[in-house]
Amino acid sequence: MTPAAPQDAVIRVENLKTGFGDFIVHENVSFEVRRGEVFAILGGSGCGKTVLLKHMIGLYRPLAGRVLIAGEDIAAAEGERRLAILRRLGVMYQLGALFGNMTLAENIRLPLEEYTDLPDEAMDLIAETKLRLVNLGGAGHLTPSEISGGMMKRAAIARALALDPEIVFLDEPAGGLDPITSAELDELVLRLSDSLGITFVVITHELPSIFAIADRCIMLDKRVRGIIAEGRPADLRDHSPDPRVRQFFNRAASAPAAAA
Amino acid sequence: MATLALNESAGGATLALAGRLDAYSVGALWREARAALGAHPGAPVTVDCSGVDYCDGAGVGLLLELLRQPRAAGADVRIEGLAERFRRLLDQFDPKSFAAAAPAAPRVSLVERVGIAGERIWTDLRGLVAFLGEATAALFHALRHPRMLRWRDILYVAEEAGVNALPIVLLIGFLMGVILAFQSAIAMKQFGAEIFVANLLSLSILRELGPLMTAILLAGRSGAAFAAEIGTMKVNQEIDALTTMGLDPVKFLVVTRVLAATAMTVPLVVFSDLIGLVGGALVMLTFEIPIATYYKQAMSFATLGDFTGGLAKAAVFGVLIAGIGCLRGLQTETGASAVGIAATSAVVSGIILIVFVDGVFAVVYYYLGI
C-alpha cells in the first residue's frame, strides 16, 4: 500500500489478476478511485470492463491481487463484514436487472425493507423520490415488462440509489438511451456526486458523457490485458502519447494496418 | 445517529433535527416527527436543521413528509438552517405534488374477476385452436418435403427428450409393475386367483398405464424443457430474429420438436410396457407363480390390439406434449418469471390434455371394439 493519503482512495485495486480458468482477462491492474469523484472505465468491446466491475463489487474472486473498498478487501470479507461493505455500494447492471415480478416501486423498496426500519409510508415516499430523480415520477406501479429499455435503465439507477450508497457503479448507463435522457443522466450523476459526495464508477462509451462527467478515467486494452492510459479525459484526448487512446477519444476508425 | 427535539413557544413550535439523517436513522424519527407536527395543527412549525450534518435521500424523504402534510392557512411548515448542499437535494422536489396519502389500488369485483378469467380461458382456447391449425399445416408441409427438415435439430431433440429420458421411464415403469402386481396379488390371493394378476397387469399396462405414465413423465420432463427453452428464446428476442430472417418459428422450432418427441414417445412406451411386465413377473415369483406360467397367461389374454392401441395413444400423447410445450413457450411474455409461468403451464395443460384425450380414446376404442 502506498502511504499517501489512504483515506482519499475509496476504492483501491492492487495488482489485480482476473480470468476464467486458463483465460486471463486482466493482469497486474492497479488503480485507485478517490472519494467523491466520477471515475470512468473505458475501452473497446471485449477488454473486460464489466469483468473488472464485477471484481470491484465482489461478484467474482480475483486470481491474484486485491480490491479494497474503504480499506477492506471485498473478496476476503465474509458474513457481516461483507454485508457492511456491500451496503456502501449501489450497482446498476448493464441490462437493468430489475426484478420482473415486482413493480418499480417494489424494486426500490426491497433494500429499504430488508435493511431499514422505515415505516411503510416512508418507504413509499422515498421510492417515489428516487423515481422522480430519474424522471420516472408516478411510474412506480408499472412492472419492468411494461416499460421501455431506457426507462428500465433509469429505474435500475433509482434502485441502485435506494440506500444512498457511498459508491455507485453504473455499467453503461447511457447505452440505448436517447441523447436527451443521456444528458439528463449525466446531470443527475453530477448533481448526486456534488451534493451527496457519492463516488461514481461508470463504464461508458459515450464520448460526450465521458467529457461531461468523468473527473478521471482509465482505459483498458484487450491485448495488454490491463490499463493503457489513466488520467483526465481531456488530457488523454489531447496529450496521450498512445495512438490507441487518441483514436478512442477522437472516435477514429482503426487504421487498416493496425487491424490484425 | 439522528435526534429530534420539540420546542414549543407562543408563536408556534420548533422541531429541531440534528445528526445524520440517512436510511438507517430516519426510521426511528419518522413517526415521532409526524406526531409532533400533528400536535400543532393550527400553529406554524419551524423545522430547524442547523444541527444536521448529513442528509441523504432518506433524510430528504423525512423533510418532504413534513412539508407535504396538508396544513391550515397560516400554519405552514418551514425548513430552516439546512446546509446549502442538502437544500439543493430537497429543492428538486415539490412537496405538495406528493399526495399525502398513497392512492388505494383499484378494487376488482368478483364478477369482474370471473369475467376476466373467462375471457382469458376463451382467448387461450382460441390461441390453442389457431396454433393447432398452424402446427398441423407446418407438419404436413414438413412431411411432404422431408428434405427441408433440419434433421440435426430433430436428432438432437430426440436424444434430449427420448434417449436421455429412458432411465427414468424404465425406473417408473418397473416400479409401477411391481407395485401393481403386489397390491393386486394380495387381494387375489384370498380367492386363490393370483394367476389372474397376469391378466390384470398385461391389460392395464399395455392399454393404459404404460402410455399414460410415460406421457405424464415426458410432460414434466420434455414439455417443461420445450416451454422454458422457447420461452427464453422469446425473451431474448431470438424468436423475433428467426421471424425477420423469414424463418417461421412454428416450422423451425415446433415441427422439429413435435416430430422428435412423437417418434421417441412410442419406443419409450414399448420399454415402459416391457419393464412393467417384467416387474410384475418378479413379484409373481414370490407368490410362487413361475415366469413361464405368468408369460403364457399374459400372452393368452392380452391381444396385439391392446399393445398397438396403447402405442397409437402414445404417439398422440407425444404430439400433445411437444405441441403444448412449444405453444406455451411461444406465448411467453417478457421477464424471468414469465419463463417459469410458461414451463408450469406447459406441464399443467399437458397433463390435462393427456388425461382428456385418454378418455376420448377409451370411448372410441370401446365403440370400435378394440
Side-chain angles (χ1 to χ4, degrees):
Chain A
M1 255 203 235
T2 45
Q7 77 275 27
D8 193 26
V10 66
I11 305 175
R12 189 192 296 275
V13 175
E14 293 175 347
N15 304 322
L16 190 73
K17 179 181 178 185
T18 72
F20 308 94
D22 291 338
F23 178 66
I24 305 299
V25 182
H26 306 108
E27 237 162 351
N28 239 337
V29 170
S30 298
F31 60 93
E32 56 180 48
V33 181
R34 296 171 196 153
R35 186 174 300 280
E37 75 178 349
V38 177
F39 186 86
I41 300 176
L42 318 174
S45 303
C47 69
K49 299 183 294 293
T50 302
V51 172
L52 179 61
L53 182 108
K54 287 187 173 176
H55 280 85
M56 292 171 79
I57 58 181
L59 281 180
Y60 295 160
R61 293 183 83 90
L63 297 179
R66 302 193 295 171
V67 174
L68 302 175
I69 306 277
E72 293 228 52
D73 186 342
I74 190 164
E78 275 170 13
E80 277 297 317
R81 275 184 54 220
R82 185 179 162 83
L83 277 183
I85 302 176
L86 289 178
R87 234 179 273 178
R88 313 172 89 124
L89 312 178
V91 186
M92 188 219 95
Y93 292 93
Q94 212 166 4
L95 300 172
L98 295 168
F99 303 115
N101 54 349
M102 299 182 187
T103 64
L104 300 189
E106 285 166 348
N107 262 284
I108 299 171
R109 279 184 52 144
L110 180 69
L112 295 171
E113 283 170 14
E114 293 298 314
Y115 289 122
T116 71
D117 54 356
L118 291 167
D120 249 8
E121 79 259 24
M123 290 192 280
D124 286 336
L125 180 66
I126 292 173
E128 177 66 18
T129 59
K130 302 296 177 198
L131 285 170
R132 287 195 191 185
L133 273 185
V134 295
N135 283 337
L136 284 175
H141 63 283
L142 298 174
T143 60
S145 56
E146 292 170 327
I147 61 177
S148 71
M151 289 168 84
M152 206 114 72
K153 293 229 154 165
R154 285 184 281 152
I157 294 179
R159 188 181 66 182
L161 294 173
L163 285 173
D164 293 287
E166 283 168 53
I167 311 166
V168 174
F169 293 86
L170 306 174
D171 193 353
E172 301 215 17
L177 294 189
D178 63 275
I180 297 171
T181 316
S182 172
E184 280 170 356
L185 273 185
D186 289 349
E187 202 256 328
L188 169 70
V189 167
L190 288 176
R191 196 171 60 212
L192 290 170
S193 105
D194 198 34
S195 53
L196 288 178
I198 295 178
T199 309
F200 281 91
V201 177
V202 188
I203 291 182
T204 180
H205 297 295
E206 302 281 311
L207 286 173
S209 173
I210 295 168
F211 292 120
I213 63 172
D215 296 313
R216 286 190 317 126
C217 64
I218 54 171
M219 183 177 287
L220 301 174
D221 187 78
K222 191 150 67 173
R223 262 163 284 173
V224 178
R225 292 179 182 160
I227 301 174
I228 53 170
E230 179 170 1
R232 292 182 49 231
D235 289 347
L236 293 181
R237 174 189 56 193
D238 300 333
H239 307 298
S240 174
D242 192 324
R244 289 168 297 183
V245 177
R246 288 197 310 271
Q247 200 180 30
F248 182 95
F249 279 108
N250 293 311
R251 213 167 170 271
S254 79
Chain B
M1 273 290 100
T3 58
L4 181 149
L6 183 65
N7 296 312
E8 299 179 29
S9 60
T14 305
L15 204 60
L17 291 170
R20 189 182 160 87
L21 297 181
D22 62 17
Y24 307 105
S25 63
V26 159
L29 299 185
W30 198 278
R31 293 239 158 78
E32 216 181 321
R34 277 283 308 273
L37 202 63
H40 299 88
V45 174
T46 306
V47 180
D48 178 10
C49 297
S50 48
V52 172
D53 45 47
Y54 179 83
C55 172
D56 64 13
V60 167
L62 175 64
L63 297 178
L64 283 173
E65 171 76 4
L66 298 176
L67 288 171
R68 75 172 173 170
Q69 299 306 321
R71 303 285 289 179
D76 293 334
V77 176
R78 280 184 310 128
I79 307 282
E80 276 184 5
L82 188 63
E84 172 58 25
R85 60 200 188 107
F86 305 134
R87 180 100 223 171
R88 261 183 291 157
L89 284 182
L90 180 63
D91 285 347
Q92 55 191 334
F93 301 111
D94 171 18
K96 296 297 174 199
S97 68
F98 292 92
R107 303 275 292 177
V108 183
S109 74
L110 183 68
V111 180
E112 209 173 329
R113 261 187 273 174
V114 169
I116 291 170
E119 205 267 339
R120 196 170 297 155
I121 292 175
W122 175 241
T123 345
D124 190 46
L125 278 177
R126 283 179 50 159
L128 199 68
V129 171
F131 175 76
L132 190 71
E134 205 178 342
T136 313
L139 212 58
F140 274 108
H141 181 264
L143 291 177
R144 276 210 316 264
H145 307 87
R147 301 177 122 261
M148 287 175 66
L149 280 172
R150 297 178 57 86
W151 287 102
R152 266 199 19 213
D153 289 0
I154 294 183
L155 288 178
Y156 175 75
V157 177
E159 186 187 344
E160 273 298 304
V163 180
N164 294 349
L166 191 58
I168 179 106
V169 166
L170 288 181
L171 177 72
I172 299 292
F174 178 76
L175 289 179
M176 204 176 57
V178 167
I179 293 163
L180 200 62
F182 193 71
Q183 297 288 13
S184 46
I186 291 172
M188 301 254 207
K189 198 178 163 77
Q190 295 171 345
F191 309 102
E194 296 101 310
I195 185 62
F196 294 108
V197 170
N199 301 22
L200 187 147
L201 274 185
S202 56
L203 192 67
S204 59
I205 287 185
L206 294 184
R207 282 190 82 118
E208 282 298 332
L209 291 174
L212 200 61
M213 292 302 290
T214 311
I216 288 175
L217 272 179
L218 289 183
R221 209 179 166 278
S222 312
F226 293 165
E229 190 182 353
I230 296 181
T232 312
M233 289 179 75
K234 176 123 188 236
V235 173
N236 290 341
Q237 299 190 326
E238 290 173 46
I239 304 283
D240 297 346
L242 279 178
T243 312
T244 44
M245 281 180 212
L247 299 169
D248 177 12
V250 171
K251 266 188 203 149
F252 198 82
L253 299 170
V254 180
V255 168
T256 48
R257 281 170 178 74
V258 168
L259 282 180
T262 311
M264 295 317 288
T265 311
V266 177
L268 281 176
V269 169
V270 174
F271 278 109
S272 171
D273 285 354
L274 274 178
I275 198 86
L277 292 175
V278 168
L282 293 182
V283 171
M284 295 321 290
L285 272 181
T286 67
F287 285 86
E288 284 159 6
I289 291 182
I291 288 182
T293 320
Y294 172 87
Y295 175 76
K296 275 220 176 85
Q297 181 73 15
M299 288 306 279
S300 66
F301 185 72
T303 62
L304 189 63
D306 293 330
F307 180 60
T308 50
L311 293 189
K313 280 207 291 200
V316 176
F317 291 160
V319 175
L320 291 177
I321 293 162
I324 202 81
C326 296
L327 170 67
R328 293 304 183 219
L330 288 173
Q331 284 173 338
T332 305
E333 289 166 16
T334 51
S337 57
V339 177
I341 293 170
T344 310
S345 158
V347 176
V348 172
S349 20
I351 291 177
I352 292 175
L353 269 181
I354 290 165
V355 174
F356 176 74
V357 170
D358 194 44
V360 173
F361 265 110
V363 175
V364 171
Y365 281 179
Y366 175 75
Y367 281 107
L368 291 179
I370 298 173

PDB file of all heavy atoms in Angstrom, chain A residues 50-68:
ATOM      1  N   THR A  50     -16.647  -4.952 -17.866  1.00  0.00           N
ATOM      2  CA  THR A  50     -17.663  -5.484 -16.954  1.00  0.00           C
ATOM      3  C   THR A  50     -17.058  -6.511 -16.001  1.00  0.00           C
ATOM      4  O   THR A  50     -17.433  -6.583 -14.829  1.00  0.00           O
ATOM      5  CB  THR A  50     -18.825  -6.090 -17.759  1.00  0.00           C
ATOM      6  OG1 THR A  50     -19.362  -5.071 -18.590  1.00  0.00           O
ATOM      7  CG2 THR A  50     -19.916  -6.611 -16.861  1.00  0.00           C
ATOM      8  N   VAL A  51     -16.083  -7.286 -16.498  1.00  0.00           N
ATOM      9  CA  VAL A  51     -15.407  -8.254 -15.620  1.00  0.00           C
ATOM     10  C   VAL A  51     -14.703  -7.520 -14.491  1.00  0.00           C
ATOM     11  O   VAL A  51     -14.786  -7.906 -13.319  1.00  0.00           O
ATOM     12  CB  VAL A  51     -14.414  -9.107 -16.440  1.00  0.00           C
ATOM     13  CG1 VAL A  51     -13.584  -9.974 -15.525  1.00  0.00           C
ATOM     14  CG2 VAL A  51     -15.161  -9.958 -17.445  1.00  0.00           C
ATOM     15  N   LEU A  52     -14.028  -6.424 -14.835  1.00  0.00           N
ATOM     16  CA  LEU A  52     -13.341  -5.627 -13.814  1.00  0.00           C
ATOM     17  C   LEU A  52     -14.348  -5.116 -12.791  1.00  0.00           C
ATOM     18  O   LEU A  52     -14.140  -5.195 -11.581  1.00  0.00           O
ATOM     19  CB  LEU A  52     -12.604  -4.466 -14.491  1.00  0.00           C
ATOM     20  CG  LEU A  52     -11.854  -3.523 -13.565  1.00  0.00           C
ATOM     21  CD1 LEU A  52     -10.778  -4.280 -12.803  1.00  0.00           C
ATOM     22  CD2 LEU A  52     -11.239  -2.371 -14.330  1.00  0.00           C
ATOM     23  N   LEU A  53     -15.483  -4.603 -13.308  1.00  0.00           N
ATOM     24  CA  LEU A  53     -16.516  -4.069 -12.420  1.00  0.00           C
ATOM     25  C   LEU A  53     -17.025  -5.156 -11.471  1.00  0.00           C
ATOM     26  O   LEU A  53     -17.204  -4.927 -10.276  1.00  0.00           O
ATOM     27  CB  LEU A  53     -17.669  -3.509 -13.249  1.00  0.00           C
ATOM     28  CG  LEU A  53     -18.783  -2.887 -12.421  1.00  0.00           C
ATOM     29  CD1 LEU A  53     -18.760  -1.386 -12.567  1.00  0.00           C
ATOM     30  CD2 LEU A  53     -20.137  -3.402 -12.823  1.00  0.00           C
ATOM     31  N   LYS A  54     -17.228  -6.363 -12.022  1.00  0.00           N
ATOM     32  CA  LYS A  54     -17.756  -7.424 -11.181  1.00  0.00           C
ATOM     33  C   LYS A  54     -16.751  -7.856 -10.113  1.00  0.00           C
ATOM     34  O   LYS A  54     -17.150  -8.348  -9.057  1.00  0.00           O
ATOM     35  CB  LYS A  54     -18.189  -8.616 -12.049  1.00  0.00           C
ATOM     36  CG  LYS A  54     -19.473  -8.293 -12.803  1.00  0.00           C
ATOM     37  CD  LYS A  54     -20.026  -9.466 -13.539  1.00  0.00           C
ATOM     38  CE  LYS A  54     -21.392  -9.104 -14.119  1.00  0.00           C
ATOM     39  NZ  LYS A  54     -21.948 -10.177 -14.932  1.00  0.00           N
ATOM     40  N   HIS A  55     -15.461  -7.671 -10.389  1.00  0.00           N
ATOM     41  CA  HIS A  55     -14.484  -7.925  -9.330  1.00  0.00           C
ATOM     42  C   HIS A  55     -14.526  -6.820  -8.288  1.00  0.00           C
ATOM     43  O   HIS A  55     -14.347  -7.068  -7.104  1.00  0.00           O
ATOM     44  CB  HIS A  55     -13.075  -8.028  -9.910  1.00  0.00           C
ATOM     45  CG  HIS A  55     -12.787  -9.366 -10.515  1.00  0.00           C
ATOM     46  ND1 HIS A  55     -13.120  -9.677 -11.804  1.00  0.00           N
ATOM     47  CD2 HIS A  55     -12.224 -10.473  -9.987  1.00  0.00           C
ATOM     48  CE1 HIS A  55     -12.770 -10.929 -12.054  1.00  0.00           C
ATOM     49  NE2 HIS A  55     -12.228 -11.445 -10.967  1.00  0.00           N
ATOM     50  N   MET A  56     -14.790  -5.590  -8.743  1.00  0.00           N
ATOM     51  CA  MET A  56     -14.795  -4.473  -7.805  1.00  0.00           C
ATOM     52  C   MET A  56     -15.978  -4.558  -6.844  1.00  0.00           C
ATOM     53  O   MET A  56     -15.912  -4.051  -5.733  1.00  0.00           O
ATOM     54  CB  MET A  56     -14.816  -3.137  -8.565  1.00  0.00           C
ATOM     55  CG  MET A  56     -13.519  -2.874  -9.312  1.00  0.00           C
ATOM     56  SD  MET A  56     -13.641  -1.445 -10.412  1.00  0.00           S
ATOM     57  CE  MET A  56     -13.455  -0.103  -9.271  1.00  0.00           C
ATOM     58  N   ILE A  57     -17.073  -5.189  -7.286  1.00  0.00           N
ATOM     59  CA  ILE A  57     -18.230  -5.289  -6.396  1.00  0.00           C
ATOM     60  C   ILE A  57     -18.315  -6.659  -5.735  1.00  0.00           C
ATOM     61  O   ILE A  57     -19.309  -6.991  -5.108  1.00  0.00           O
ATOM     62  CB  ILE A  57     -19.549  -4.966  -7.133  1.00  0.00           C
ATOM     63  CG1 ILE A  57     -19.747  -5.896  -8.319  1.00  0.00           C
ATOM     64  CG2 ILE A  57     -19.575  -3.529  -7.580  1.00  0.00           C
ATOM     65  CD1 ILE A  57     -21.006  -5.625  -9.105  1.00  0.00           C
ATOM     66  N   GLY A  58     -17.262  -7.462  -5.894  1.00  0.00           N
ATOM     67  CA  GLY A  58     -17.185  -8.699  -5.132  1.00  0.00           C
ATOM     68  C   GLY A  58     -17.978  -9.863  -5.702  1.00  0.00           C
ATOM     69  O   GLY A  58     -18.173 -10.862  -5.015  1.00  0.00           O
ATOM     70  N   LEU A  59     -18.442  -9.752  -6.945  1.00  0.00           N
ATOM     71  CA  LEU A  59     -19.173 -10.886  -7.527  1.00  0.00           C
ATOM     72  C   LEU A  59     -18.222 -12.002  -7.932  1.00  0.00           C
ATOM     73  O   LEU A  59     -18.568 -13.173  -7.850  1.00  0.00           O
ATOM     74  CB  LEU A  59     -19.967 -10.430  -8.754  1.00  0.00           C
ATOM     75  CG  LEU A  59     -21.284  -9.715  -8.498  1.00  0.00           C
ATOM     76  CD1 LEU A  59     -21.924  -9.347  -9.814  1.00  0.00           C
ATOM     77  CD2 LEU A  59     -22.229 -10.603  -7.707  1.00  0.00           C
ATOM     78  N   TYR A  60     -17.023 -11.625  -8.421  1.00  0.00           N
ATOM     79  CA  TYR A  60     -16.022 -12.619  -8.793  1.00  0.00           C
ATOM     80  C   TYR A  60     -14.836 -12.492  -7.835  1.00  0.00           C
ATOM     81  O   TYR A  60     -14.570 -11.427  -7.303  1.00  0.00           O
ATOM     82  CB  TYR A  60     -15.507 -12.369 -10.224  1.00  0.00           C
ATOM     83  CG  TYR A  60     -16.522 -12.530 -11.318  1.00  0.00           C
ATOM     84  CD1 TYR A  60     -16.308 -11.953 -12.561  1.00  0.00           C
ATOM     85  CD2 TYR A  60     -17.694 -13.259 -11.123  1.00  0.00           C
ATOM     86  CE1 TYR A  60     -17.228 -12.096 -13.590  1.00  0.00           C
ATOM     87  CE2 TYR A  60     -18.612 -13.406 -12.137  1.00  0.00           C
ATOM     88  CZ  TYR A  60     -18.381 -12.822 -13.370  1.00  0.00           C
ATOM     89  OH  TYR A  60     -19.285 -12.965 -14.382  1.00  0.00           O
ATOM     90  N   ARG A  61     -14.134 -13.605  -7.663  1.00  0.00           N
ATOM     91  CA  ARG A  61     -12.922 -13.564  -6.840  1.00  0.00           C
ATOM     92  C   ARG A  61     -11.721 -13.398  -7.752  1.00  0.00           C
ATOM     93  O   ARG A  61     -11.614 -14.084  -8.770  1.00  0.00           O
ATOM     94  CB  ARG A  61     -12.770 -14.859  -6.050  1.00  0.00           C
ATOM     95  CG  ARG A  61     -13.824 -15.060  -5.008  1.00  0.00           C
ATOM     96  CD  ARG A  61     -13.542 -16.333  -4.246  1.00  0.00           C
ATOM     97  NE  ARG A  61     -12.559 -16.115  -3.193  1.00  0.00           N
ATOM     98  CZ  ARG A  61     -12.908 -15.755  -1.964  1.00  0.00           C
ATOM     99  NH1 ARG A  61     -14.160 -15.574  -1.649  1.00  0.00           N
ATOM    100  NH2 ARG A  61     -11.991 -15.565  -1.046  1.00  0.00           N
ATOM    101  N   PRO A  62     -10.810 -12.514  -7.388  1.00  0.00           N
ATOM    102  CA  PRO A  62      -9.619 -12.328  -8.238  1.00  0.00           C
ATOM    103  C   PRO A  62      -8.705 -13.550  -8.189  1.00  0.00           C
ATOM    104  O   PRO A  62      -8.672 -14.264  -7.184  1.00  0.00           O
ATOM    105  CB  PRO A  62      -8.944 -11.098  -7.633  1.00  0.00           C
ATOM    106  CG  PRO A  62      -9.538 -10.903  -6.296  1.00  0.00           C
ATOM    107  CD  PRO A  62     -10.862 -11.594  -6.258  1.00  0.00           C
ATOM    108  N   LEU A  63      -7.995 -13.796  -9.295  1.00  0.00           N
ATOM    109  CA  LEU A  63      -6.998 -14.869  -9.305  1.00  0.00           C
ATOM    110  C   LEU A  63      -5.793 -14.460  -8.465  1.00  0.00           C
ATOM    111  O   LEU A  63      -5.135 -15.291  -7.866  1.00  0.00           O
ATOM    112  CB  LEU A  63      -6.562 -15.168 -10.746  1.00  0.00           C
ATOM    113  CG  LEU A  63      -7.659 -15.693 -11.677  1.00  0.00           C
ATOM    114  CD1 LEU A  63      -7.108 -15.919 -13.069  1.00  0.00           C
ATOM    115  CD2 LEU A  63      -8.260 -16.979 -11.137  1.00  0.00           C
ATOM    116  N   ALA A  64      -5.507 -13.163  -8.473  1.00  0.00           N
ATOM    117  CA  ALA A  64      -4.440 -12.636  -7.631  1.00  0.00           C
ATOM    118  C   ALA A  64      -4.729 -11.167  -7.411  1.00  0.00           C
ATOM    119  O   ALA A  64      -5.470 -10.560  -8.176  1.00  0.00           O
ATOM    120  CB  ALA A  64      -3.079 -12.826  -8.305  1.00  0.00           C
ATOM    121  N   GLY A  65      -4.126 -10.581  -6.372  1.00  0.00           N
ATOM    122  CA  GLY A  65      -4.348  -9.170  -6.107  1.00  0.00           C
ATOM    123  C   GLY A  65      -5.576  -8.942  -5.254  1.00  0.00           C
ATOM    124  O   GLY A  65      -6.248  -9.896  -4.855  1.00  0.00           O
ATOM    125  N   ARG A  66      -5.840  -7.668  -4.980  1.00  0.00           N
ATOM    126  CA  ARG A  66      -6.933  -7.349  -4.066  1.00  0.00           C
ATOM    127  C   ARG A  66      -7.749  -6.165  -4.572  1.00  0.00           C
ATOM    128  O   ARG A  66      -7.271  -5.344  -5.343  1.00  0.00           O
ATOM    129  CB  ARG A  66      -6.383  -6.952  -2.691  1.00  0.00           C
ATOM    130  CG  ARG A  66      -5.529  -7.997  -2.047  1.00  0.00           C
ATOM    131  CD  ARG A  66      -5.313  -7.662  -0.589  1.00  0.00           C
ATOM    132  NE  ARG A  66      -4.537  -6.433  -0.407  1.00  0.00           N
ATOM    133  CZ  ARG A  66      -4.375  -5.863   0.784  1.00  0.00           C
ATOM    134  NH1 ARG A  66      -4.919  -6.387   1.845  1.00  0.00           N
ATOM    135  NH2 ARG A  66      -3.661  -4.755   0.896  1.00  0.00           N
ATOM    136  N   VAL A  67      -8.988  -6.117  -4.124  1.00  0.00           N
ATOM    137  CA  VAL A  67      -9.813  -4.928  -4.318  1.00  0.00           C
ATOM    138  C   VAL A  67     -10.209  -4.451  -2.926  1.00  0.00           C
ATOM    139  O   VAL A  67     -10.833  -5.194  -2.171  1.00  0.00           O
ATOM    140  CB  VAL A  67     -11.082  -5.239  -5.137  1.00  0.00           C
ATOM    141  CG1 VAL A  67     -11.978  -4.007  -5.185  1.00  0.00           C
ATOM    142  CG2 VAL A  67     -10.720  -5.697  -6.531  1.00  0.00           C
ATOM    143  N   LEU A  68      -9.790  -3.235  -2.580  1.00  0.00           N
ATOM    144  CA  LEU A  68     -10.114  -2.704  -1.263  1.00  0.00           C
ATOM    145  C   LEU A  68     -11.192  -1.642  -1.405  1.00  0.00           C
ATOM    146  O   LEU A  68     -11.032  -0.674  -2.137  1.00  0.00           O
ATOM    147  CB  LEU A  68      -8.873  -2.082  -0.617  1.00  0.00           C
ATOM    148  CG  LEU A  68      -7.669  -3.012  -0.454  1.00  0.00           C
ATOM    149  CD1 LEU A  68      -6.480  -2.232   0.070  1.00  0.00           C
ATOM    150  CD2 LEU A  68      -8.004  -4.149   0.489  1.00  0.00           C
TER     151      LEU A  68
END
